[in-house]
Amino acid sequence: MELQTSYYSSPIGTLEIKGNEDGLFSLEFKDEPIEPTLKIPESIKEVSYQLDEYFNGIRKEFGLKLNPEGTEFQKKVWKELVEIPFGKTCSYLDISLKLGDENATRAVGNANGKNPIAIVVPCHRVIGSTGKLTGYAGGLWRKEWLLKHELGVIFGKQTELF
């Protein structure tokens, strides 16, 4: 089934949504300004609704059908990312241990960096084992914003992370 595309204007930039009846294929930040889509394709309309709820502090878990392309290992990592609770963080080592291989931290980091579904598959919740922010495809400033946003929703105000 053909992928449909829509653009969503978020507080941290434009997001490109791609998906179809089989599920959400990708959700990626775009650095160039793009007008939000006025007529959102029916198959991905729910993504925009849930993003609205997330950014308005109402939604803490996404209930979307996901259909990303990736290797079996990447999909295992992305499945673990979805299990990280709203407002919490973990390290690459934590995920490696959940997958049963403490030596897979570099591979986990690589898979995390290739996550095609930002925010919904919350790779922004993975930080270095020292507690420092590490790479984020959308930029570290977005990662910091997302983590602060989630803490603000939990505690009712914007909080300092570091």
Side-chain angles (χ1 to χ4, degrees):
M1 181 173 271
E2 184 178 329
L3 287 178
Q4 297 179 305
T5 302
S6 179
Y7 294 94
Y8 178 88
S9 181
S10 83
I12 51 176
T14 302
L15 288 160
E16 180 184 70
I17 304 166
K18 288 187 177 183
N20 57 28
E21 298 301 327
D22 294 330
L24 179 60
F25 180 80
S26 67
L27 181 64
E28 297 178 344
F29 289 104
K30 295 296 178 185
D31 288 324
E32 65 278 354
I34 301 170
E35 289 296 315
T37 304
L38 297 178
K39 182 158 175 38
I40 301 169
E42 198 61 40
S43 65
I44 53 179
K45 201 174 272 189
E46 185 64 24
V47 178
S48 293
Y49 292 141
Q50 291 192 28
L51 285 170
D52 281 343
E53 291 175 338
Y54 173 83
F55 284 114
N56 286 315
I58 298 165
R59 178 170 292 277
K60 295 180 181 177
E61 291 181 22
F62 290 92
L64 299 167
K65 186 176 176 184
L66 306 179
N67 189 27
E69 277 189 0
T71 66
E72 284 307 308
F73 181 77
Q74 288 170 335
K75 289 178 182 181
K76 284 180 186 177
V77 170
W78 301 336
K79 188 173 188 270
E80 289 300 325
L81 296 178
V82 172
E83 299 300 318
I84 305 169
F86 183 91
K88 302 285 185 190
T89 58
C90 72
S91 70
Y92 299 104
L93 178 59
D94 294 332
I95 294 172
S96 296
L97 292 171
K98 285 184 178 181
L99 294 173
D101 184 356
E102 70 179 276
N103 296 316
T105 54
R106 189 175 300 257
V108 165
N110 208 3
N112 194 59
K114 288 183 170 44
N115 170 25
I117 303 178
I119 303 170
V120 175
V121 177
C123 56
H124 62 276
R125 296 179 188 155
V126 181
I127 59 174
S129 55
T130 63
K132 294 201 180 215
L133 292 185
T134 54
Y136 185 63
L140 282 180
W141 71 273
R142 285 188 177 114
K143 181 174 190 161
E144 183 176 2
W145 190 98
L146 290 164
L147 292 172
K148 284 182 177 180
H149 167 70
E150 292 182 7
L151 286 176
V153 168
I154 291 170
F155 294 109
K157 61 183 185 215
Q158 197 71 333
T159 58
E160 286 300 316
L161 271 180
F162 307 98

